[in-house]
Amino acid sequence: MGSALLLSGGMDSISLAWWKRPRFAFTVDYGQLAAEAEIAASTAIARQLDLQHHVLTINARALGSGDMAGASPDALAPESDWWPYRNQLLITAVAMKAVARGATELLLGTVASDGTHRDGTKEFVDKVDALMACQEGGLRVRAPAIGLNTAELVRTAGIPLNMLAWAHSCHKASVPCGQCRGCNKHLEVLQELTADNPANA
């Protein structure tokens, strides 16, 4: 029994891990260019928190588009990092493993800014929750930070800023490119947080 977390290794999911302390954490290598660094970041925080960490491998790069797949964005893409049905794929894959481990709840690190994608909205989370709940195991899907921005999540979680040094946010590579939406968000959040407490700068 217990909760499971979809742990990508980014600032949001690392902060959620610190805040909610799930029993299980699952990281997925689905063919994204930054998989190696995401797994390393997720492994580090899972060890720190003594979480049961599992890495799943599902190579779906040929199905991807945009920055994370190293391809041109699809014509439907609202942003350069859009990958069709990515969150639906990840939630389904992790749910399959989590429910078999006895988890009753799957936590997502979705925050308010993820709403630029339909699968980052409260409507999507509510619908995927209802879909999972009607199946065997009755797994529920929750996004505890969906009403918060990342800086607010970090403050709410109480995670020390030095723990965020493990986070990997780049969409394009395992070494931060410094130019993608993920890298830009990472820098902006750190600037906001260090402005709160210049001693941490």
Side-chain angles (χ1 to χ4, degrees):
M1 305 297 284
S3 62
L5 169 66
L6 179 49
L7 182 61
S8 70
M11 298 176 91
D12 300 324
S13 66
I14 282 179
S15 297
L16 192 61
W18 190 274
W19 180 20
K20 295 298 183 180
R21 307 293 170 109
R23 181 176 178 191
F24 307 102
F26 295 91
T27 305
V28 185
D29 175 353
Y30 52 95
Q32 73 275 32
L33 296 176
E36 182 180 347
E38 292 180 9
I39 292 167
S42 298
T43 300
I45 194 69
R47 284 183 182 149
Q48 177 72 24
L49 298 177
D50 196 27
L51 310 180
Q52 294 184 36
H53 185 221
H54 304 273
V55 177
L56 309 180
T57 302
I58 305 165
N59 191 347
R61 186 177 298 177
L63 304 175
S65 78
D67 294 345
M68 289 184 278
S72 298
D74 187 275
L76 295 172
E79 301 288 352
S80 64
D81 56 348
W82 185 72
W83 182 309
Y85 302 101
R86 181 182 72 104
N87 282 358
Q88 188 172 333
L89 169 70
L90 300 181
I91 291 166
T92 301
V94 168
M96 292 167 72
K97 197 74 171 176
V99 77
R101 291 280 188 273
T104 56
E105 179 180 58
L106 176 59
L107 303 176
L108 308 178
T110 307
V111 295
S113 61
D114 294 329
T116 58
H117 301 295
R118 291 293 298 274
D119 63 5
T121 63
K122 183 179 184 303
E123 178 188 17
F124 174 84
V125 173
D126 289 346
K127 287 182 175 179
V128 79
D129 170 52
L131 178 63
M132 294 295 174
C134 78
Q135 298 179 71
E136 290 80 4
L139 186 73
R140 304 310 301 259
V141 178
R142 304 283 185 234
I146 199 163
L148 306 175
N149 66 37
T150 299
E152 291 168 339
L153 169 57
V154 170
R155 294 183 193 107
T156 300
I159 184 171
L161 291 189
N162 65 328
M163 294 290 113
L164 291 180
W166 289 334
H168 185 79
S169 303
C170 183
H171 295 156
K172 295 185 174 182
S174 286
V175 176
C177 72
Q179 298 176 340
C180 68
R181 291 181 73 235
C183 285
N184 291 337
K185 172 184 169 178
H186 189 100
L187 178 60
E188 290 166 5
V189 171
L190 286 180
Q191 287 174 337
E192 181 176 347
L193 293 169
T194 54
D196 289 348
N197 188 353
N200 288 328

Short mmCIF file of all heavy atoms in Angstrom, two decimals, residues 160-187:
data_model
loop_
_atom_site.label_atom_id
_atom_site.label_comp_id
_atom_site.label_asym_id
_atom_site.label_seq_id
_atom_site.Cartn_x
_atom_site.Cartn_y
_atom_site.Cartn_z
N PRO A 160 15.48 21.95 0.86
CA PRO A 160 16.65 22.84 0.85
C PRO A 160 17.10 23.12 -0.58
O PRO A 160 17.05 22.24 -1.44
CB PRO A 160 17.71 22.05 1.62
CG PRO A 160 16.94 21.03 2.41
CD PRO A 160 15.74 20.70 1.58
N LEU A 161 17.54 24.34 -0.83
CA LEU A 161 17.95 24.70 -2.19
C LEU A 161 19.11 23.85 -2.69
O LEU A 161 19.21 23.59 -3.89
CB LEU A 161 18.31 26.18 -2.26
CG LEU A 161 17.17 27.17 -2.10
CD1 LEU A 161 17.63 28.59 -2.39
CD2 LEU A 161 15.99 26.82 -2.99
N ASN A 162 19.97 23.38 -1.78
CA ASN A 162 21.09 22.55 -2.26
C ASN A 162 20.61 21.21 -2.80
O ASN A 162 21.28 20.60 -3.64
CB ASN A 162 22.14 22.35 -1.16
CG ASN A 162 21.63 21.57 0.04
OD1 ASN A 162 20.45 21.66 0.39
ND2 ASN A 162 22.49 20.82 0.67
N MET A 163 19.42 20.75 -2.39
CA MET A 163 18.86 19.53 -2.96
C MET A 163 18.42 19.74 -4.41
O MET A 163 18.45 18.83 -5.22
CB MET A 163 17.66 19.05 -2.13
CG MET A 163 17.98 18.60 -0.73
SD MET A 163 18.89 17.06 -0.67
CE MET A 163 20.47 17.65 -0.04
N LEU A 164 18.04 20.98 -4.72
CA LEU A 164 17.61 21.29 -6.09
C LEU A 164 18.78 21.26 -7.06
O LEU A 164 18.58 21.26 -8.28
CB LEU A 164 16.91 22.64 -6.15
CG LEU A 164 15.55 22.72 -5.48
CD1 LEU A 164 14.98 24.13 -5.62
CD2 LEU A 164 14.59 21.69 -6.05
N ALA A 165 19.99 21.25 -6.54
CA ALA A 165 21.17 21.16 -7.42
C ALA A 165 21.16 19.84 -8.19
O ALA A 165 21.79 19.74 -9.25
CB ALA A 165 22.46 21.29 -6.61
N TRP A 166 20.46 18.84 -7.69
CA TRP A 166 20.37 17.56 -8.39
C TRP A 166 19.40 17.61 -9.57
O TRP A 166 19.46 16.78 -10.46
CB TRP A 166 19.89 16.47 -7.44
CG TRP A 166 20.88 16.06 -6.41
CD1 TRP A 166 22.25 16.14 -6.51
CD2 TRP A 166 20.62 15.49 -5.13
NE1 TRP A 166 22.83 15.66 -5.36
CE2 TRP A 166 21.86 15.25 -4.49
CE3 TRP A 166 19.45 15.15 -4.45
CZ2 TRP A 166 21.96 14.69 -3.23
CZ3 TRP A 166 19.55 14.59 -3.19
CH2 TRP A 166 20.79 14.36 -2.59
N ALA A 167 18.49 18.56 -9.56
CA ALA A 167 17.43 18.60 -10.57
C ALA A 167 18.00 18.79 -11.97
O ALA A 167 18.95 19.55 -12.18
CB ALA A 167 16.45 19.71 -10.25
N HIS A 168 17.39 18.09 -12.92
CA HIS A 168 17.75 18.28 -14.33
C HIS A 168 16.50 18.72 -15.08
O HIS A 168 15.50 18.01 -15.10
CB HIS A 168 18.30 17.00 -14.95
CG HIS A 168 18.79 17.20 -16.34
ND1 HIS A 168 20.01 17.78 -16.61
CD2 HIS A 168 18.21 16.96 -17.54
CE1 HIS A 168 20.17 17.87 -17.93
NE2 HIS A 168 19.08 17.39 -18.51
N SER A 169 16.58 19.89 -15.70
CA SER A 169 15.42 20.49 -16.34
C SER A 169 15.54 20.61 -17.85
O SER A 169 14.56 20.93 -18.52
CB SER A 169 15.16 21.88 -15.74
OG SER A 169 14.99 21.80 -14.35
N CYS A 170 16.73 20.39 -18.39
CA CYS A 170 16.94 20.59 -19.82
C CYS A 170 16.11 19.59 -20.63
O CYS A 170 16.05 18.41 -20.30
CB CYS A 170 18.42 20.43 -20.17
SG CYS A 170 18.79 20.74 -21.91
N HIS A 171 15.49 20.08 -21.69
CA HIS A 171 14.69 19.22 -22.57
C HIS A 171 15.50 18.59 -23.68
O HIS A 171 15.05 17.63 -24.31
CB HIS A 171 13.56 20.04 -23.20
CG HIS A 171 12.57 20.56 -22.23
ND1 HIS A 171 11.79 21.67 -22.48
CD2 HIS A 171 12.19 20.12 -21.00
CE1 HIS A 171 10.99 21.89 -21.45
NE2 HIS A 171 11.22 20.97 -20.54
N LYS A 172 16.69 19.13 -23.94
CA LYS A 172 17.42 18.74 -25.15
C LYS A 172 18.59 17.82 -24.94
O LYS A 172 19.08 17.21 -25.90
CB LYS A 172 17.91 20.01 -25.87
CG LYS A 172 16.79 20.89 -26.39
CD LYS A 172 17.35 22.06 -27.19
CE LYS A 172 16.24 22.87 -27.83
NZ LYS A 172 16.78 23.98 -28.66
N ALA A 173 19.09 17.70 -23.72
CA ALA A 173 20.30 16.91 -23.51
C ALA A 173 20.50 16.60 -22.04
O ALA A 173 19.87 17.20 -21.17
CB ALA A 173 21.53 17.67 -24.04
N SER A 174 21.44 15.68 -21.76
CA SER A 174 21.78 15.36 -20.37
C SER A 174 22.74 16.39 -19.78
O SER A 174 22.97 16.40 -18.58
CB SER A 174 22.38 13.96 -20.29
OG SER A 174 21.36 12.99 -20.45
N VAL A 175 23.30 17.25 -20.61
CA VAL A 175 24.07 18.40 -20.15
C VAL A 175 23.24 19.63 -20.50
O VAL A 175 22.87 19.81 -21.67
CB VAL A 175 25.45 18.47 -20.85
CG1 VAL A 175 26.19 19.73 -20.43
CG2 VAL A 175 26.27 17.24 -20.53
N PRO A 176 22.89 20.48 -19.52
CA PRO A 176 21.99 21.59 -19.80
C PRO A 176 22.43 22.45 -20.97
O PRO A 176 23.59 22.88 -21.03
CB PRO A 176 21.99 22.38 -18.48
CG PRO A 176 22.32 21.36 -17.44
CD PRO A 176 23.28 20.40 -18.09
N CYS A 177 21.50 22.72 -21.88
CA CYS A 177 21.82 23.53 -23.07
C CYS A 177 21.78 25.02 -22.76
O CYS A 177 22.40 25.82 -23.45
CB CYS A 177 20.85 23.20 -24.21
SG CYS A 177 19.15 23.81 -23.94
N GLY A 178 21.04 25.40 -21.70
CA GLY A 178 20.93 26.80 -21.33
C GLY A 178 20.02 27.62 -22.23
O GLY A 178 19.94 28.85 -22.07
N GLN A 179 19.31 26.97 -23.15
CA GLN A 179 18.50 27.72 -24.11
C GLN A 179 17.05 27.25 -24.22
O GLN A 179 16.21 28.00 -24.70
CB GLN A 179 19.14 27.63 -25.50
CG GLN A 179 20.54 28.23 -25.56
CD GLN A 179 21.19 28.03 -26.91
OE1 GLN A 179 20.79 27.16 -27.68
NE2 GLN A 179 22.20 28.83 -27.20
N CYS A 180 16.75 26.04 -23.79
CA CYS A 180 15.40 25.50 -23.96
C CYS A 180 14.46 26.04 -22.87
O CYS A 180 14.90 26.67 -21.90
CB CYS A 180 15.42 23.97 -23.94
SG CYS A 180 15.84 23.26 -22.33
N ARG A 181 13.19 25.76 -23.02
CA ARG A 181 12.20 26.22 -22.04
C ARG A 181 12.48 25.65 -20.65
O ARG A 181 12.27 26.32 -19.64
CB ARG A 181 10.79 25.83 -22.48
CG ARG A 181 10.30 26.59 -23.70
CD ARG A 181 8.87 26.19 -24.08
NE ARG A 181 7.91 26.73 -23.14
CZ ARG A 181 7.03 26.02 -22.47
NH1 ARG A 181 6.96 24.72 -22.60
NH2 ARG A 181 6.17 26.61 -21.65
N GLY A 182 12.95 24.40 -20.59
CA GLY A 182 13.27 23.79 -19.30
C GLY A 182 14.41 24.49 -18.60
O GLY A 182 14.35 24.77 -17.39
N CYS A 183 15.49 24.76 -19.33
CA CYS A 183 16.64 25.46 -18.75
C CYS A 183 16.26 26.87 -18.32
O CYS A 183 16.69 27.34 -17.25
CB CYS A 183 17.79 25.51 -19.76
SG CYS A 183 18.65 23.93 -19.98
N ASN A 184 15.47 27.55 -19.14
CA ASN A 184 15.05 28.91 -18.79
C ASN A 184 14.21 28.92 -17.52
O ASN A 184 14.39 29.78 -16.64
CB ASN A 184 14.27 29.54 -19.95
CG ASN A 184 15.16 29.83 -21.14
OD1 ASN A 184 16.38 29.97 -21.02
ND2 ASN A 184 14.55 29.94 -22.31
N LYS A 185 13.29 27.97 -17.41
CA LYS A 185 12.46 27.88 -16.20
C LYS A 185 13.33 27.61 -14.98
O LYS A 185 13.15 28.24 -13.93
CB LYS A 185 11.42 26.77 -16.37
CG LYS A 185 10.63 26.48 -15.09
CD LYS A 185 9.68 25.32 -15.27
CE LYS A 185 9.10 24.87 -13.94
NZ LYS A 185 8.14 23.76 -14.08
N HIS A 186 14.28 26.70 -15.10
CA HIS A 186 15.17 26.35 -13.99
C HIS A 186 15.89 27.60 -13.48
O HIS A 186 15.93 27.86 -12.27
CB HIS A 186 16.18 25.30 -14.48
CG HIS A 186 17.00 24.69 -13.40
ND1 HIS A 186 16.73 23.45 -12.86
CD2 HIS A 186 18.09 25.13 -12.76
CE1 HIS A 186 17.62 23.16 -11.94
NE2 HIS A 186 18.47 24.17 -11.86
N LEU A 187 16.46 28.36 -14.40
CA LEU A 187 17.19 29.58 -14.02
C LEU A 187 16.27 30.60 -13.37
O LEU A 187 16.60 31.20 -12.34
CB LEU A 187 17.87 30.17 -15.25
CG LEU A 187 18.65 31.47 -15.02
CD1 LEU A 187 19.76 31.27 -13.99
CD2 LEU A 187 19.22 31.99 -16.33
#
